[in-house]
Amino acid sequence: MSKVKTGFFCQNCGYESVKWLGQCPSCNQWNTFVEEIKHKEPAKANGWENYSNEKRTNKTVALKEIRANEEKRLLTPDKELNRVLGGGIVAGSIVLIAGEPGIGKSTLFLQDGLQLSNITVLYISGEESEQQIKMRAERLKLSNENFYLLTETSTQIIFQEIKKLKPQLVIVDSVQTLHTPFIDSSPGSVSQIRECAAEFQRFAKETNTPVFLIGHITKEGSIAGPKILEHMVDTVLQFEGDRHYAYRIIRTLKNRFGSTAELGIYEMTDEGMKGVANPSEILITQKEDHLSGIAIAATIEGMRPLLIEVQALVTQSVYGTPQRTVTGFDLRRLQLLLAVLEKRGGFHFGVKDVFLNIAGGLKVEDPSIDLAVLCALLSSYEDVALPQHICFAGEVGLSGEIRAVNRIDQRIAEAEKLGFEKIIVSKYGQKGLAKQKFNIEVISMGRVDEVYRYLF
Ligand code: TYD
Ligand code: MG
């Protein structure tokens, strides 16, 4: 009997070492090494080739001789998904969808698979039983004759079924449950995930069938396991959103066939995920009565302008150390803005507790939200409501200057569309901005104190 070969693998990034290490030299994480059994039959080519009879040999070809068949894209009925994929599903592409457990990955892809009625879809589930999936499909009120289900985790059996069925789209839920007989380590381990994904990758490329791999990420946000797949797949989509809120965002982290600046927004309803075509309208709770501490930011998320409500609460601190609590915003960024207000405006936030909340449970990365955050803080500090129908777009610098943000005309246009009357922007970098063409009043300011004097 031959000796079983083992290796130590970092469960975070997949780094392989011959001995156990406390800290991974590749990703610097601690205590991530686990011993795993390596290939059972290392000499043989393993995976998908073993299940298919036709062997392929690759030759060198001149690039000009390759005829690109103008990426045929498959448009799904789900507009948000088409958008994040860069305009539909590319034949032979392999897409990784990562997200925390319970965020709605299975729901969305079951729903999208069921809606693709003109192609054969195979949904492979290693997590739920056939009955559970059937119940979910009934809850979604969808049915489809070309939709097939396989509850199996061994890639050997999966590929046998695939050869029989010849699906035109394969959805795997989830990649962590798969195991290949060519590797001995347990499902979910780094070497299993990598090998199973590689088998699907070869399958996708050789048969030109698109494959969706669903993967779980850990609470810290790192894609345990799936992280090591990022370079292998064509597209990485990441699910975001707070489970306690209805909104879910899909961000494109990597895309060989499109922009990575794309973003899809869904609302989780009791009948599945509904694409949100007009997110700004929902994210602003335009109340009748004026409340202090609320400001609207004209941000751009991905490629789309998005108006978002920022809520701040500033109260007298009861304990010695003032609290700073944020949802959907970077805590260090808040501390920086508070320091700017303290130093440049003489506001005493040092004795106040500050709470900041971005409506809808969204996480905003666009720095143009700064000005709205600052105005929400000031509004709560002064306990004076901001005038209605005003919104903000500007980054705030350390000396209290308002810095220009990109694609300002798109932001102004969105604010105008939603019925805002005024928008405060930076006075810098306005070349080529034709204010006259907007019905909304565009107010340019250079410093935070100007804004303060204007508002209060
Ligand atoms: P699920 O798709 O199972 O999450 P994941 O596959 O990412 O782990 O989503 C589960 C949650 O979605 C669950 O808490 C119930 C909720 N849900 C709805 O709100 N509406 C629905 O129509 C369905 C099917 C699920
Ligand atoms: Mg699931």
Side-chain angles (χ1 to χ4, degrees):
M1 210 187 107
S2 65
K3 200 167 161 266
V4 183
K5 269 197 178 169
T6 61
F8 291 86
F9 291 88
C10 170
Q11 301 296 305
N12 187 48
C13 68
Y15 183 86
E16 186 185 341
S17 160
V18 285
K19 59 179 200 301
W20 188 86
L21 298 173
Q23 187 184 21
C24 175
S26 168
C27 66
N28 295 329
Q29 292 287 313
W30 291 90
N31 288 328
T32 52
F33 279 87
V34 170
E35 185 171 19
E36 289 180 7
I37 298 159
K38 297 211 293 199
H39 294 205
K40 227 197 245 172
E41 300 159 71
K44 262 197 208 164
N46 51 8
W48 160 248
E49 289 96 344
N50 286 12
Y51 318 131
S52 76
N53 311 322
E54 56 270 20
K55 276 267 176 283
R56 238 184 78 181
T57 47
N58 288 336
K59 295 192 209 80
T60 35
V61 225
L63 186 62
K64 65 170 193 206
E65 280 166 23
I66 303 171
R67 207 171 299 144
N69 36 347
E70 195 31 54
E71 283 173 23
K72 254 190 284 147
R73 286 189 187 251
L74 173 70
L75 283 180
T76 70
D78 181 350
K79 290 201 183 69
E80 302 295 302
L81 183 68
N82 292 341
R83 186 202 305 270
V84 289
L85 291 173
I89 305 173
V90 177
S93 66
I94 178 152
V95 182
L96 173 70
I97 299 105
E100 284 174 18
I103 202 160
K105 302 180 294 297
S106 307
T107 308
L108 181 64
F109 284 88
L110 179 66
Q111 178 184 325
D112 284 344
L114 283 167
Q115 281 174 344
L116 281 165
S117 49
N118 42 4
I119 61 165
T120 314
V121 178
L122 176 63
Y123 185 94
I124 301 160
S125 179
E127 302 199 332
E128 284 154 303
S129 68
E130 287 163 11
Q131 285 73 24
Q132 277 175 311
I133 296 170
K134 174 80 184 170
M135 268 162 59
R136 188 182 294 217
E138 274 167 7
R139 184 166 170 192
L140 298 171
K141 298 198 178 66
L142 290 169
S143 67
N144 177 350
E145 299 198 341
N146 294 325
F147 186 88
Y148 293 86
L149 192 62
L150 175 62
T151 47
E152 177 55 58
T153 55
S154 160
T155 56
Q156 192 169 19
I157 299 170
I158 290 173
F159 283 118
Q160 280 164 5
E161 292 296 312
I162 284 180
K163 274 168 80 181
K164 272 187 247 157
L165 182 70
K166 294 197 170 48
Q168 288 153 292
L169 173 70
V170 177
I171 302 169
V172 181
D173 186 11
S174 68
V175 63
Q176 272 105 340
T177 58
L178 293 179
H179 68 93
T180 170
F182 294 97
I183 292 195
D184 273 342
S185 51
S186 56
S189 66
V190 170
S191 33
Q192 278 290 3
I193 293 177
R194 185 158 42 195
E195 202 47 46
C196 294
E199 288 179 13
F200 273 99
Q201 187 203 29
R202 288 191 287 265
F203 160 73
K205 299 298 166 210
E206 280 171 30
T207 59
N208 233 2
T209 313
V211 175
F212 286 133
L213 296 178
I214 296 178
H216 294 297
I217 61 174
T218 55
K219 203 81 199 132
E220 297 83 56
S222 67
I223 317 181
K227 187 103 198 142
I228 53 175
L229 303 180
E230 280 182 4
H231 67 278
M232 237 188 240
V233 300
D234 297 312
T235 306
V236 180
L237 303 180
Q238 176 143 335
F239 248 98
E240 284 173 14
D242 197 317
R243 247 195 291 175
H244 306 291
Y245 290 95
Y247 298 104
R248 301 283 183 273
I249 286 184
I250 293 193
R251 249 180 239 282
T252 316
L253 298 189
K254 164 184 175 179
N255 196 354
R256 289 195 180 135
F257 311 110
S259 154
T260 51
E262 288 294 359
L263 180 110
I265 304 179
Y266 294 90
E267 188 182 0
M268 184 64 124
T269 67
D270 49 0
E271 282 176 26
M273 307 267 273
K274 296 249 159 18
V276 178
N278 231 334
S280 302
E281 277 170 19
I282 311 167
L283 294 173
I284 303 172
T285 44
Q286 297 233 349
K287 304 224 175 54
E288 291 304 309
D289 43 341
H290 293 211
L291 297 170
S292 70
I294 291 180
I296 311 291
T299 65
I300 297 234
E301 277 293 303
M303 303 294 276
R304 306 157 89 176
L306 199 62
L307 268 73
I308 296 181
E309 186 176 299
V310 180
Q311 300 170 340
L313 181 66
V314 178
T315 59
Q316 198 65 38
S317 193
V318 200
Y319 303 107
T321 358
Q323 292 187 61
R324 272 93 182 85
T325 309
V326 285
T327 351
F329 192 68
D330 184 19
L331 181 61
R332 273 174 302 180
R333 190 88 203 146
L334 171 70
Q335 282 162 340
L336 186 145
L337 292 175
L338 290 174
V340 169
L341 286 173
E342 188 104 33
K343 175 91 179 168
R344 311 284 166 202
F347 298 96
H348 300 298
F349 280 98
V351 293
K352 306 276 189 191
D353 288 342
V354 177
F355 305 90
L356 191 77
N357 185 15
I358 309 293
L362 295 186
K363 209 166 78 204
V364 180
E365 287 171 0
D366 184 0
S368 71
I369 196 171
D370 281 2
L371 191 57
V373 170
L374 197 123
C375 292
L377 290 170
L378 287 173
S379 161
S380 180
Y381 184 95
E382 301 286 359
D383 202 14
V384 176
L386 296 179
Q388 261 187 325
H389 309 299
I390 188 164
C391 62
F392 307 89
E395 188 182 340
V396 175
L398 288 185
S399 53
E401 81 275 20
I402 300 169
R403 297 161 68 172
V405 289
N406 61 358
R407 290 191 280 160
I408 191 72
D409 17 4
Q410 248 176 297
R411 298 169 197 263
I412 299 174
E414 178 78 2
E416 179 180 333
K417 202 172 89 192
L418 288 168
F420 281 86
E421 286 157 12
K422 290 172 184 170
I423 179 166
I424 299 188
V425 300
S426 166
K427 73 174 181 194
Y428 307 108
Q430 286 197 344
K431 250 181 250 156
L433 178 68
K435 285 188 200 172
Q436 317 74 275
K437 80 172 187 219
F438 298 106
N439 288 325
I440 180 172
E441 186 186 347
V442 181
I443 306 164
S444 316
M445 291 189 180
R447 296 192 51 82
V448 169
D449 38 297
E450 277 176 68
V451 180
Y452 179 79
R453 279 196 302 274
Y454 178 81
L455 292 175
F456 302 101

